[in-house]
Amino acid sequence: MGSAGLSRLHGLFAVYKPPGLKWKHLRDTVELQLLKGLNARKPPAPKQRVRFLLGPMEGSEEKELTLTATSVPSFINHPLVCGPAFAHLKVGVGHRLDAQASGVLDHVTREKLDRILAVIQGSHQKALVMYSNLDLKTQEAYEMAVRGLIRPMNKSPMLITGIRCLYFAPPEFLLEVQCMHETQKELRKLVHEIGLELKTTAVCTQVRRTRDGFFTLDSALLRTQWDLTNIQDAIRAATPQVAAELEKSLSPGLDTKQLPSPGWSWDSQGPSSTLGLERGAGQ
């Protein structure tokens, strides 16, 4: 476990999950690729051990035999004897994604949709303040709200801090949602409820996470990059940002009880993750 290659795998990295692939299969694939990379490395030189070998005595005309101390390689830890050096790695998954559905539309207009989205965002922002147990009349709470650092103090349902329509071309439209404590099931339910408010039926056809904390699509490893070298490079590249976020979380002037969770986005743009949601609606 003291291998330099293994020690460089302690950290965080982002992976882009293509649609239709289950998160567990992704995790298993990443682990398999890492194990292949670690076990493919050249094993260290075998340790030497002393063996007493029987041989002829030097200078003896009668060919007498004697035991001679000799240093020979020990193959007790060689992969061909004991198997691969690495058989398992602990690869955790921060936020899990599932598969997707489909849908159709008729009479929905952009103006009607925008009004519904504004109402949803307003109601969720009020809920965020309620679950945060903060008095916004205080200066500290006001500064936290300006910096986008308000978060629920306890367990809460999905909370939306921003939602807007990026693309509208019936029967398809695309929503950008900034939220926390979300699940894909709740997001699909949200789209269904939007359809009901518009007096029609809306069905989610695709969910795509575009940001999780400070990780974006640009920093997410594609399937062809799920190998030892690329993952080590991704962890090394993310380490300064991880350290910076931890330093911010411990900075003076913030009540430690109000600090965001590790998945929280620390910029003023809002919550832990931004999801691009492609939708379809129909009667």
Side-chain angles (χ1 to χ4, degrees):
M1 301 301 287
S3 168
L6 186 63
S7 64
R8 290 166 56 193
L9 287 176
H10 291 276
L12 302 175
F13 64 99
V15 170
Y16 183 85
K17 188 191 83 63
L21 181 67
K22 294 183 179 180
W23 69 265
K24 189 176 184 302
H25 181 70
L26 185 154
R27 193 212 72 85
D28 293 343
T29 302
V30 168
E31 180 184 12
L32 179 62
Q33 292 297 99
L34 290 176
L35 290 174
K36 285 183 178 179
L38 289 171
N39 291 322
R41 296 194 167 194
K42 184 179 180 180
K47 296 181 179 180
Q48 299 293 313
R49 64 173 181 168
V50 176
R51 291 286 304 274
F52 289 91
L53 303 179
L54 188 64
M57 180 182 298
E58 294 183 4
S60 174
E61 296 180 355
E62 299 181 0
K63 298 182 179 180
E64 296 182 4
L65 299 179
T66 185
L67 292 176
T68 304
T70 307
S71 178
V72 296
S74 173
F75 296 100
I76 189 172
N77 293 323
H78 195 279
L80 295 179
V81 176
C82 61
F86 301 95
H88 174 72
L89 289 176
K90 187 176 182 181
V91 181
V93 179
H95 293 101
R96 302 170 182 177
L97 296 174
D98 58 17
Q100 59 276 343
S102 61
V104 292
L105 170 82
D106 77 330
H107 66 274
V108 177
T109 65
R110 177 65 180 264
E111 291 73 22
K112 291 180 180 179
L113 177 60
D114 287 339
R115 284 199 297 268
I116 295 298
L117 299 183
V119 172
I120 292 174
Q121 179 170 325
S123 62
H124 277 256
Q125 287 177 339
K126 291 180 180 178
L128 175 60
V129 174
M130 179 185 69
Y131 280 104
S132 67
N133 296 329
L134 288 178
D135 182 4
L136 291 183
K137 295 181 181 179
T138 64
Q139 182 64 23
E140 181 185 15
Y142 173 77
E143 292 177 356
M144 292 179 64
V146 170
R147 297 174 59 187
L149 298 182
I150 294 181
R151 70 173 182 92
M153 291 296 295
N154 300 305
K155 185 176 180 180
S156 74
M158 178 183 70
L159 295 174
I160 296 173
T161 58
I163 181 171
R164 61 173 177 160
C165 179
L166 298 181
Y167 172 78
F168 187 83
E172 302 293 335
F173 58 93
L174 174 67
L175 300 181
E176 180 186 70
V177 182
Q178 294 182 333
C179 53
M180 62 186 73
H181 297 180
E182 79 284 353
T183 65
Q184 284 72 65
K185 182 178 180 179
E186 289 175 313
L187 289 169
R188 290 185 173 87
K189 182 180 178 181
L190 170 67
V191 175
H192 172 68
E193 293 173 349
I194 290 175
L196 295 179
E197 291 294 330
L198 293 169
K199 296 181 174 56
T200 184
T201 300
V203 180
C204 175
T205 60
Q206 184 180 7
V207 176
R208 187 188 193 203
R209 177 173 284 124
T210 58
R211 179 167 60 88
D212 193 345
F214 61 82
F215 287 115
T216 64
L217 291 177
D218 292 336
S219 58
L221 299 180
L222 301 177
R223 192 165 190 167
T224 55
Q225 300 172 308
W226 300 350
D227 54 60
L228 178 64
T229 301
N230 282 295
I231 290 177
Q232 287 177 333
D233 292 343
I235 292 174
R236 182 169 57 251
T239 297
Q241 292 175 287
V242 173
E245 303 308 318
L246 290 176
E247 184 178 355
K248 288 181 182 178
S249 68
L250 300 176
S251 61
L254 287 179
D255 185 349
T256 55
K257 295 182 179 180
Q258 303 292 343
L259 291 176
S261 60
W264 181 267
S265 173
W266 286 90
D267 55 31
S268 60
Q269 297 179 3
S272 64
S273 59
T274 301
L275 303 178
L277 308 178
E278 294 184 6
R279 309 292 188 244
Q283 286 185 330

